[in-house]
Amino acid sequence: MLHPFQQLRPEYEHLLSIMKVTRAAEVEGIARKLLRFKPRYAPGSAATGVPIVIIATLHQRESSADFSTYLGNGEPLNRVTRLVPKGRGPFPTWEAGAIDGIHYDHLDDNSAPWSMPYACFKGEVWNGFGPRNHGRHTGYLWGGTSIYDGGKYVRDGVWDPNFKDPQIGIVPVILRMGMI
């Protein structure tokens, strides 16, 4: 792998140690909403070994936690996906689609025990290392914190260095919900 966890772990540990939440009210609101859905995320967690807080925060990023969408990209469950990953579904339930997305992106192939640094790594693997390849920390992880300073893929394969991701990243929400 181009970016192995053991190589990136010290970076994640450092960033976590200096990170400040810059949009606390939004983080709080998202965490409260996702905690209400905890029973809905439990079957996917039990089937894959991926912690509920990881599934929940990915679901928030992909579709604002809309249970009529595919975890892998936020598209409707009732049709074949057109965005990356293309050709998935349709799915009879949100849980079936979530488990498919987790398996498809190997989120459940664990090379280390779950921890905050490992959650950062898996979140970056899930969404892609593109921002890192542009010398930026990804908003997917760090949005709403002092670590994120802009840049985003505004659609598949299109990087905009000046775009500021309006979404809250998974890291501050995971921390607020209580990691693993």
Side-chain angles (χ1 to χ4, degrees), residues 23 61 131 134 136-140 142-144 147-155 158-168:
R23 294 162 57 193
R61 279 292 304 200
H134 288 280
R136 299 286 183 88
H137 298 296
T138 178
Y140 201 89
W142 305 105
I147 302 303
Y148 179 62
D149 60 357
K152 179 179 168 79
Y153 281 93
V154 293
R155 58 187 173 277
V158 179
W159 173 256
D160 183 341
N162 300 311
F163 190 87
K164 185 81 168 185
D165 191 339
Q167 288 183 277
I168 298 296

Short mmCIF file of all heavy atoms in Angstrom, two decimals, residues 23 61 131 134 136-140 142-144 147-155 158-168:
data_model
loop_
_atom_site.label_atom_id
_atom_site.label_comp_id
_atom_site.label_asym_id
_atom_site.label_seq_id
_atom_site.Cartn_x
_atom_site.Cartn_y
_atom_site.Cartn_z
N ARG A 23 -15.87 24.36 15.00
CA ARG A 23 -17.32 24.47 14.78
C ARG A 23 -18.05 23.54 15.76
O ARG A 23 -18.76 22.62 15.38
CB ARG A 23 -17.64 24.15 13.33
CG ARG A 23 -17.04 25.22 12.39
CD ARG A 23 -16.93 24.81 10.95
NE ARG A 23 -18.18 24.40 10.34
CZ ARG A 23 -18.24 23.78 9.17
NH1 ARG A 23 -17.15 23.52 8.48
NH2 ARG A 23 -19.40 23.42 8.67
N ARG A 61 -21.23 11.83 6.49
CA ARG A 61 -20.48 12.49 5.41
C ARG A 61 -21.06 12.17 4.03
O ARG A 61 -21.11 13.03 3.16
CB ARG A 61 -19.01 12.06 5.43
CG ARG A 61 -18.13 12.74 6.42
CD ARG A 61 -17.89 14.20 6.15
NE ARG A 61 -17.35 14.48 4.85
CZ ARG A 61 -16.73 15.59 4.51
NH1 ARG A 61 -16.53 16.54 5.39
NH2 ARG A 61 -16.27 15.78 3.29
N PRO A 131 -6.50 14.29 -1.42
CA PRO A 131 -6.05 15.56 -0.82
C PRO A 131 -4.60 15.49 -0.31
O PRO A 131 -3.85 16.44 -0.47
CB PRO A 131 -7.05 15.76 0.33
CG PRO A 131 -8.29 15.08 -0.16
CD PRO A 131 -7.78 13.86 -0.88
N HIS A 134 -2.19 16.15 -2.85
CA HIS A 134 -2.12 17.59 -3.18
C HIS A 134 -1.51 18.39 -2.02
O HIS A 134 -1.55 19.62 -2.03
CB HIS A 134 -3.52 18.14 -3.48
CG HIS A 134 -4.07 17.66 -4.78
ND1 HIS A 134 -3.72 18.20 -6.00
CD2 HIS A 134 -4.95 16.66 -5.07
CE1 HIS A 134 -4.36 17.57 -6.97
NE2 HIS A 134 -5.11 16.63 -6.43
N ARG A 136 -2.51 18.43 1.16
CA ARG A 136 -3.55 18.96 2.05
C ARG A 136 -4.07 17.88 2.98
O ARG A 136 -4.10 16.70 2.65
CB ARG A 136 -4.74 19.49 1.24
CG ARG A 136 -4.42 20.63 0.30
CD ARG A 136 -4.18 21.93 1.07
NE ARG A 136 -3.94 23.05 0.19
CZ ARG A 136 -4.89 23.82 -0.31
NH1 ARG A 136 -6.15 23.62 -0.04
NH2 ARG A 136 -4.56 24.82 -1.10
N HIS A 137 -4.53 18.31 4.14
CA HIS A 137 -5.26 17.43 5.04
C HIS A 137 -6.71 17.43 4.59
O HIS A 137 -7.29 18.49 4.32
CB HIS A 137 -5.17 17.91 6.49
CG HIS A 137 -3.78 17.92 7.02
ND1 HIS A 137 -3.04 16.78 7.17
CD2 HIS A 137 -2.98 18.93 7.42
CE1 HIS A 137 -1.85 17.08 7.64
NE2 HIS A 137 -1.78 18.39 7.80
N THR A 138 -7.30 16.26 4.50
CA THR A 138 -8.63 16.12 3.95
C THR A 138 -9.73 16.65 4.87
O THR A 138 -9.74 16.37 6.07
CB THR A 138 -8.93 14.65 3.58
OG1 THR A 138 -10.27 14.57 3.09
CG2 THR A 138 -8.77 13.71 4.76
N GLY A 139 -10.67 17.38 4.27
CA GLY A 139 -11.85 17.83 5.00
C GLY A 139 -12.72 16.67 5.43
O GLY A 139 -13.48 16.79 6.38
N TYR A 140 -12.62 15.54 4.73
CA TYR A 140 -13.40 14.36 5.09
C TYR A 140 -13.11 13.96 6.53
O TYR A 140 -14.00 13.58 7.27
CB TYR A 140 -13.10 13.21 4.13
CG TYR A 140 -14.18 12.16 4.09
CD1 TYR A 140 -15.24 12.28 3.19
CD2 TYR A 140 -14.17 11.08 4.94
CE1 TYR A 140 -16.24 11.32 3.13
CE2 TYR A 140 -15.16 10.12 4.90
CZ TYR A 140 -16.20 10.24 4.00
OH TYR A 140 -17.19 9.30 3.97
N TRP A 142 -11.02 16.12 8.73
CA TRP A 142 -10.68 17.25 9.59
C TRP A 142 -11.59 18.47 9.45
O TRP A 142 -11.36 19.49 10.08
CB TRP A 142 -9.23 17.67 9.34
CG TRP A 142 -8.27 16.53 9.51
CD1 TRP A 142 -7.64 15.83 8.51
CD2 TRP A 142 -7.84 15.92 10.73
NE1 TRP A 142 -6.85 14.84 9.04
CE2 TRP A 142 -6.95 14.88 10.41
CE3 TRP A 142 -8.13 16.17 12.07
CZ2 TRP A 142 -6.35 14.08 11.36
CZ3 TRP A 142 -7.52 15.36 13.03
CH2 TRP A 142 -6.65 14.33 12.67
N GLY A 143 -12.63 18.42 8.60
CA GLY A 143 -13.54 19.55 8.46
C GLY A 143 -14.09 19.97 9.81
O GLY A 143 -14.46 19.13 10.63
N GLY A 144 -14.12 21.27 10.06
CA GLY A 144 -14.61 21.79 11.34
C GLY A 144 -13.56 21.79 12.43
O GLY A 144 -13.87 21.96 13.61
N ILE A 147 -7.18 21.74 11.82
CA ILE A 147 -6.27 21.01 10.92
C ILE A 147 -6.61 21.27 9.46
O ILE A 147 -5.74 21.35 8.60
CB ILE A 147 -6.31 19.50 11.22
CG1 ILE A 147 -5.94 19.22 12.67
CG2 ILE A 147 -5.42 18.72 10.26
CD1 ILE A 147 -4.59 19.73 13.11
N TYR A 148 -7.88 21.42 9.16
CA TYR A 148 -8.32 21.56 7.76
C TYR A 148 -8.18 23.00 7.29
O TYR A 148 -8.69 23.92 7.90
CB TYR A 148 -9.77 21.09 7.62
CG TYR A 148 -10.30 21.22 6.21
CD1 TYR A 148 -9.72 20.53 5.16
CD2 TYR A 148 -11.37 22.04 5.94
CE1 TYR A 148 -10.19 20.65 3.87
CE2 TYR A 148 -11.86 22.17 4.65
CZ TYR A 148 -11.27 21.47 3.62
OH TYR A 148 -11.74 21.61 2.34
N ASP A 149 -7.49 23.16 6.13
CA ASP A 149 -7.28 24.51 5.60
C ASP A 149 -7.73 24.65 4.15
O ASP A 149 -7.29 25.53 3.43
CB ASP A 149 -5.82 24.94 5.76
CG ASP A 149 -4.85 24.03 5.02
OD1 ASP A 149 -5.29 23.02 4.44
OD2 ASP A 149 -3.64 24.33 5.03
N GLY A 150 -8.62 23.77 3.70
CA GLY A 150 -9.20 23.91 2.38
C GLY A 150 -8.69 22.92 1.36
O GLY A 150 -7.73 22.18 1.60
N GLY A 151 -9.36 22.92 0.23
CA GLY A 151 -9.09 21.99 -0.85
C GLY A 151 -10.05 20.82 -0.76
O GLY A 151 -10.31 20.31 0.32
N LYS A 152 -10.61 20.45 -1.92
CA LYS A 152 -11.57 19.34 -1.93
C LYS A 152 -11.78 18.87 -3.36
O LYS A 152 -11.72 19.65 -4.30
CB LYS A 152 -12.90 19.80 -1.35
CG LYS A 152 -13.99 18.74 -1.32
CD LYS A 152 -15.26 19.28 -0.70
CE LYS A 152 -16.44 18.37 -0.91
NZ LYS A 152 -16.52 17.24 -0.04
N TYR A 153 -12.05 17.58 -3.50
CA TYR A 153 -12.56 17.06 -4.75
C TYR A 153 -14.04 17.43 -4.80
O TYR A 153 -14.82 16.99 -3.97
CB TYR A 153 -12.38 15.54 -4.86
CG TYR A 153 -10.97 15.17 -5.23
CD1 TYR A 153 -10.02 14.90 -4.26
CD2 TYR A 153 -10.59 15.12 -6.57
CE1 TYR A 153 -8.72 14.59 -4.61
CE2 TYR A 153 -9.29 14.81 -6.93
CZ TYR A 153 -8.36 14.55 -5.94
OH TYR A 153 -7.08 14.24 -6.30
N VAL A 154 -14.39 18.29 -5.73
CA VAL A 154 -15.75 18.79 -5.82
C VAL A 154 -16.68 17.83 -6.56
O VAL A 154 -17.90 17.96 -6.50
CB VAL A 154 -15.80 20.20 -6.42
CG1 VAL A 154 -15.14 21.20 -5.47
CG2 VAL A 154 -15.11 20.25 -7.78
N ARG A 155 -16.11 16.89 -7.28
CA ARG A 155 -16.80 15.74 -7.86
C ARG A 155 -15.72 14.73 -8.21
O ARG A 155 -14.53 15.03 -8.14
CB ARG A 155 -17.68 16.12 -9.04
CG ARG A 155 -17.03 16.79 -10.20
CD ARG A 155 -18.08 17.28 -11.21
NE ARG A 155 -17.44 18.07 -12.23
CZ ARG A 155 -17.15 19.36 -12.11
NH1 ARG A 155 -17.47 20.01 -11.02
NH2 ARG A 155 -16.55 20.00 -13.09
N VAL A 158 -12.18 15.66 -9.77
CA VAL A 158 -12.01 17.11 -9.99
C VAL A 158 -11.60 17.78 -8.68
O VAL A 158 -12.42 17.95 -7.77
CB VAL A 158 -13.29 17.76 -10.56
CG1 VAL A 158 -13.08 19.25 -10.77
CG2 VAL A 158 -13.70 17.09 -11.86
N TRP A 159 -10.33 18.18 -8.58
CA TRP A 159 -9.76 18.81 -7.39
C TRP A 159 -9.85 20.33 -7.50
O TRP A 159 -9.48 20.89 -8.53
CB TRP A 159 -8.31 18.39 -7.21
CG TRP A 159 -7.58 19.11 -6.12
CD1 TRP A 159 -6.66 20.12 -6.27
CD2 TRP A 159 -7.69 18.89 -4.72
NE1 TRP A 159 -6.21 20.53 -5.04
CE2 TRP A 159 -6.82 19.79 -4.07
CE3 TRP A 159 -8.45 18.01 -3.94
CZ2 TRP A 159 -6.68 19.84 -2.69
CZ3 TRP A 159 -8.30 18.05 -2.56
CH2 TRP A 159 -7.43 18.96 -1.95
N ASP A 160 -10.33 20.97 -6.43
CA ASP A 160 -10.36 22.43 -6.37
C ASP A 160 -9.58 22.86 -5.13
O ASP A 160 -10.06 22.68 -4.01
CB ASP A 160 -11.80 22.95 -6.30
CG ASP A 160 -11.89 24.47 -6.32
OD1 ASP A 160 -10.88 25.15 -6.03
OD2 ASP A 160 -12.99 24.97 -6.60
N PRO A 161 -8.38 23.40 -5.29
CA PRO A 161 -7.55 23.76 -4.14
C PRO A 161 -8.13 24.91 -3.32
O PRO A 161 -7.74 25.09 -2.16
CB PRO A 161 -6.21 24.16 -4.77
CG PRO A 161 -6.56 24.61 -6.15
CD PRO A 161 -7.72 23.75 -6.56
N ASN A 162 -9.05 25.66 -3.89
CA ASN A 162 -9.61 26.82 -3.20
C ASN A 162 -10.96 26.55 -2.54
O ASN A 162 -11.48 27.41 -1.83
CB ASN A 162 -9.76 27.99 -4.17
CG ASN A 162 -8.41 28.37 -4.74
OD1 ASN A 162 -7.44 28.55 -4.02
ND2 ASN A 162 -8.34 28.45 -6.07
N PHE A 163 -11.52 25.38 -2.78
CA PHE A 163 -12.83 25.07 -2.22
C PHE A 163 -12.69 24.68 -0.76
O PHE A 163 -11.85 23.88 -0.40
CB PHE A 163 -13.49 23.93 -3.00
CG PHE A 163 -14.93 23.71 -2.64
CD1 PHE A 163 -15.93 24.42 -3.27
CD2 PHE A 163 -15.29 22.80 -1.65
CE1 PHE A 163 -17.26 24.22 -2.94
CE2 PHE A 163 -16.61 22.59 -1.31
CZ PHE A 163 -17.60 23.31 -1.96
N LYS A 164 -13.51 25.26 0.08
CA LYS A 164 -13.52 24.94 1.52
C LYS A 164 -14.70 24.01 1.78
O LYS A 164 -15.86 24.38 1.58
CB LYS A 164 -13.65 26.23 2.33
CG LYS A 164 -13.55 26.04 3.80
CD LYS A 164 -12.12 25.94 4.25
CE LYS A 164 -12.06 26.05 5.77
NZ LYS A 164 -10.78 26.09 6.32
N ASP A 165 -14.41 22.80 2.19
CA ASP A 165 -15.43 21.79 2.46
C ASP A 165 -16.37 22.31 3.55
O ASP A 165 -15.93 22.58 4.67
CB ASP A 165 -14.77 20.49 2.90
CG ASP A 165 -15.71 19.31 2.95
OD1 ASP A 165 -16.94 19.51 3.04
OD2 ASP A 165 -15.22 18.18 2.90
N PRO A 166 -17.67 22.43 3.27
CA PRO A 166 -18.59 22.94 4.28
C PRO A 166 -19.00 21.90 5.31
O PRO A 166 -19.54 22.24 6.37
CB PRO A 166 -19.81 23.39 3.46
CG PRO A 166 -19.79 22.49 2.26
CD PRO A 166 -18.33 22.25 1.97
N GLN A 167 -18.74 20.63 5.02
CA GLN A 167 -19.16 19.57 5.93
C GLN A 167 -18.20 19.42 7.11
O GLN A 167 -17.00 19.70 7.00
CB GLN A 167 -19.22 18.23 5.21
CG GLN A 167 -20.37 18.09 4.24
CD GLN A 167 -20.37 16.70 3.64
OE1 GLN A 167 -19.65 16.44 2.69
NE2 GLN A 167 -21.17 15.81 4.20
N ILE A 168 -18.72 18.93 8.20
CA ILE A 168 -17.91 18.57 9.36
C ILE A 168 -17.24 17.24 9.06
O ILE A 168 -17.86 16.32 8.52
CB ILE A 168 -18.79 18.46 10.63
CG1 ILE A 168 -19.45 19.81 10.94
CG2 ILE A 168 -17.99 17.94 11.81
CD1 ILE A 168 -18.51 20.92 11.30
#
